Amino acid sequence: MGEFDLIDRYFKRKATGSAQVVLGVGDDCALLAPAAGQQLAISSDMLVEGRHFMPDADPSGLGHKALAVNLSDLAAMGASPLAFTLALALPPERAADPAWLEAFSSGLLALAGTHGCPLVGGDTTAGPLTLSITVLGLVPPGEALRRSGAQLGDDVWVSGTLGQARLALGALRQEWRLPPDVLHAARQRLERPTPRLALGVALRGVASSAIDVSDGLLGDLQHILQASGVGARIDAQAVLETAATGASGQGAGSIPQDRLLATTLAGGDDYELLFTAAAAQRDKVLRAAATSGTPASRIGHIEAGSALRLQRPDGSELDPRQYLGFDHFA
Ligand SMILES: [Mg+2]
């Protein structure tokens, strides 16, 4: 199958769900007509076989995840999806595998449909399997959630549950074992992450800064602290409790507490939102969480200085550096 047949067959869909797409896949460029007065938010993420996913990864989940990680960046800015492009390098055995292509494009386009974010262009070439997506979003001027807005005294919040993806990855890499039901739920988080788009939009005008948790809570928090020129004190127990409500909740007894703490503090691939908001905004944060159907937990607060402090329930401190090396490529 040639490049054009492949695009027509698997990736060309009528761009529905957006009057802002004037022309989608099939010409030299796509044509978009963003609503007047909106700012464009643009982000690219690349997934490479062997680096970000295993060669035997489920193709439908791979399609989902490739787009989800990009949509998560829009969520972290409080932007709404507009459209995306896909650059795809395919080895010959994949290009000649209709079942793989069908599953990949179905996973990809199903998530695109869910969020009204049509595929409007891209490129394919022969090469090692590489998925590169550029996503476009819209946000009203001045309302984008940046990393640089955290203020002294702000609360630090995180959405959903943390650490599940890293627990699953560790089990798949045979670093440890998980009970089957715990592994199943955790794998869903690793392979089919949920971009927190509705929460991101609901936090416009409420959060002072935001980032999505792709590399791990502590590492991503450092980005906010550096961009904002502040420090933070994080309650390790509050962070751990976010994990207890997730997949590991049912089987948490079988997972050593120190491992659960490490995966929760530093495990990557969760794609939750980490954000700050003034203490006076607590009710609004909880309302944003409720209206978007995404739980949010308060896990600490912003302090003067530049240090990231991690506190146990008894008030003693843990060294955050021992967790920062525990990332998903360790
Ligand atoms: Mg990000």
Side-chain angles (χ1 to χ4, degrees):
M1 195 185 318
E3 177 184 355
F4 302 112
D5 292 336
L6 190 147
I7 291 169
D8 273 354
R9 179 143 176 203
Y10 297 105
F11 297 105
K12 194 168 172 179
R13 300 279 193 278
K14 189 157 170 42
T16 53
S18 176
Q20 295 162 326
V21 177
V22 178
L23 187 62
V25 174
D27 212 311
D28 295 292
C29 290
L31 295 174
L32 304 179
Q38 298 277 306
Q39 288 180 338
L40 265 181
I42 303 172
S43 181
S44 297
D45 257 298
M46 199 186 294
L47 297 182
V48 178
E49 184 178 77
R51 169 113 192 137
H52 302 102
F53 59 91
M54 296 296 119
D56 62 352
D58 161 54
S60 167
L62 198 54
H64 174 103
K65 186 165 181 174
L67 181 58
V69 303
N70 281 276
L71 291 174
S72 179
D73 282 324
L74 289 185
M77 298 296 288
S80 306
L82 173 60
F84 75 103
T85 63
L86 168 69
L88 184 61
L90 280 174
E93 67 272 18
R94 294 296 189 210
D97 183 348
W100 191 93
L101 285 166
E102 181 60 41
F104 172 76
S105 65
S106 297
L108 177 80
L109 297 177
L111 185 67
T114 298
H115 294 289
C117 185
L119 175 64
V120 294
D123 193 21
T124 60
T125 182
L129 184 57
T130 305
L131 319 167
S132 179
I133 284 180
T134 295
V135 75
L136 306 170
L138 296 174
V139 63
E143 293 189 24
L145 307 175
R146 303 183 186 201
R147 298 179 180 185
S148 57
Q151 304 282 329
L152 283 191
D154 282 358
D155 295 320
V156 178
W157 297 80
V158 71
S159 68
T161 62
L162 293 171
Q164 312 294 306
R166 185 61 179 82
L167 275 179
L169 186 66
L172 296 174
R173 285 173 167 181
Q174 300 184 325
E175 291 173 57
W176 49 67
R177 289 163 157 276
L178 294 176
D181 55 329
V182 175
L183 175 60
H184 178 77
R187 254 187 108 151
Q188 282 292 113
R189 295 299 309 274
L190 177 67
E191 293 171 359
R192 292 183 173 267
T194 303
R196 301 301 195 185
L197 285 156
L199 179 62
V201 168
L203 287 172
R204 288 178 192 160
V206 176
S208 54
S209 72
I211 190 171
D212 64 321
V213 181
S214 54
D215 296 334
L217 175 72
L218 296 183
D220 287 319
L221 178 57
Q222 293 273 29
H223 293 308
I224 285 186
L225 301 185
Q226 281 160 11
S228 300
V230 294
R233 184 174 293 270
I234 297 300
D235 175 351
Q237 188 60 32
V239 174
L240 199 51
E241 279 164 16
T242 72
T245 60
S248 57
Q250 301 97 45
S254 62
I255 303 167
Q257 282 291 102
D258 58 343
R259 178 185 308 150
L260 203 53
L261 188 62
T263 53
T264 305
L265 287 170
D269 272 353
D270 286 312
Y271 300 100
E272 296 292 353
L273 294 187
L274 171 63
F275 57 97
T276 60
Q281 301 277 38
R282 278 178 198 170
D283 286 348
K284 286 186 181 169
V285 169
L286 294 173
R287 217 172 303 143
T291 57
S292 62
T294 311
S297 308
R298 191 150 52 85
I299 58 166
H301 63 270
I302 296 296
E303 295 185 327
S306 58
L308 169 52
R309 296 206 155 80
L310 195 57
Q311 193 170 304
R312 288 197 190 93
D314 66 6
S316 63
E317 287 192 12
L318 289 160
D319 183 353
R321 283 173 304 183
Q322 68 182 300
Y323 299 108
L324 287 169
F326 186 88
D327 85 338
H328 52 312
F329 300 125

